[in-house]
Amino acid sequence: KAGVTQTPRYLIKTRGQQVTLSCSPISGHRSVSWYQQTPGQGLQFLFEYFSETQRNKGNFPGRFSGRQFSNSRSEMNVSTLELGDSALYLCASSFQGNNEQFFGPGTRLTVL
Amino acid sequence: GQSLEQPSEVTAVEGAIVQINCTYQTSGFYGLSWYQQHDGGAPTFLSYNALDGLEETGRFSSFLSRSDSYGYLLLQELQMKDSASYFCALSAGGGNKLTFGTGTQLKVEL
């Protein structure tokens, strides 16, 4: 069974631009969560989608948004990029009722 | 909100046993998970405790005491490949939101 895939793997943007990251969960997994990982703040929860609905949301500004499609694939968008948005963005999927989350390799975003 | 504390770094020798502690504060509790992350890699699931006691999975065991808001990960027969960061993570509400601890970098030496 294929794992969680994320595209692109690396991205360089400049301040003020916007970016869209994509995540394809493991087949059959309907829950997709997004996390931001930085050396200073560690792993922080962004949001979770389940059956195309946002089920949980972390403490990030409204510049961070996401969505989930009917095939469970998910995208997250960051608008008006700031230098502090430079991070590894991780996507994780899980099967309903299962406590194990499967993480993708991440997208390394650098904002210049 | 939730917060979790872990030691920032632990060093041990190959073949030894090491314990990584995690204390947490939360207003609600569903369970405590542990994840391993190698440099440049993705976090991978190790274990989950919802109830008090010890869960064993091969060389790794995880313990939870809900009354003490405390858990630990025990790694036995340490191998060089166990050198990685280890995170405890709290599930405290519906859905799959995880609140992660600060992470413990484990260095295994010869």
Side-chain angles (χ1 to χ4, degrees):
Chain A
K1 188 183 269 191
V4 178
T5 58
Q6 293 186 245
T7 56
R9 291 293 312 278
Y10 302 91
L11 206 49
I12 300 175
K13 292 287 188 177
T14 56
R15 278 180 301 173
Q17 287 187 309
Q18 75 165 19
V19 67
T20 299
L21 312 181
S22 181
C23 171
S24 292
I26 292 172
S27 178
H29 288 190
R30 293 162 62 190
S31 169
V32 174
S33 299
W34 289 88
Y35 295 85
Q36 181 196 65
Q37 186 172 29
T38 60
Q41 299 298 317
L43 270 160
Q44 292 188 289
F45 174 80
L46 280 155
F47 27 65
E48 180 206 1
Y49 286 87
F50 181 81
S51 292
E52 302 179 64
T53 301
Q54 188 179 86
R55 186 159 69 174
N56 280 296
K57 190 177 188 305
N59 297 322
F60 279 82
R63 300 185 296 108
F64 292 81
S65 63
R67 60 178 177 168
Q68 187 179 34
F69 302 94
S70 59
N71 61 358
S72 293
R73 189 178 69 86
S74 178
E75 290 181 347
M76 68 163 282
N77 184 277
V78 189
S79 62
T80 320
L81 284 166
E82 300 176 0
L83 295 179
D85 297 333
S86 294
L88 180 66
Y89 289 88
L90 292 159
C91 159
S93 75
S94 61
F95 189 72
Q96 176 65 2
N98 192 316
N99 299 299
E100 179 177 359
Q101 292 196 28
F102 295 82
F103 282 81
T107 294
R108 173 76 61 186
L109 172 64
T110 302
V111 182
L112 302 176
Chain B
Q2 296 93 39
S3 65
L4 301 94
E5 286 191 19
Q6 307 177 231
S8 59
E9 193 174 301
V10 172
T11 302
V13 297
E14 195 174 32
I17 299 172
V18 73
Q19 179 174 312
I20 299 174
N21 298 319
C22 173
T23 56
Y24 59 86
Q25 290 186 319
T26 180
S27 55
F29 181 87
Y30 280 7
L32 189 71
S33 302
W34 289 91
Y35 284 80
Q36 177 194 62
Q37 186 179 30
H38 287 98
D39 282 347
T44 56
F45 174 84
L46 294 176
S47 68
Y48 175 81
N49 295 70
L51 303 175
D52 292 353
L54 194 68
E55 293 283 341
E56 297 180 80
T57 310
R59 294 189 297 115
F60 294 178
S61 303
S62 58
F63 172 83
L64 175 67
S65 169
R66 289 174 296 171
S67 61
D68 295 323
S69 298
Y70 164 75
Y72 67 71
L73 180 70
L74 193 72
L75 296 84
Q76 304 182 69
E77 301 172 16
L78 280 174
Q79 302 175 9
M80 297 298 290
K81 67 179 182 179
D82 297 329
S83 293
S85 292
Y86 292 83
F87 296 87
C88 55
L90 198 61
S91 304
N96 290 312
K97 175 183 177 180
L98 289 176
T99 301
F100 280 86
T102 49
T104 299
Q105 186 169 16
L106 171 64
K107 295 181 181 178
V108 180
E109 299 175 336
L110 291 172

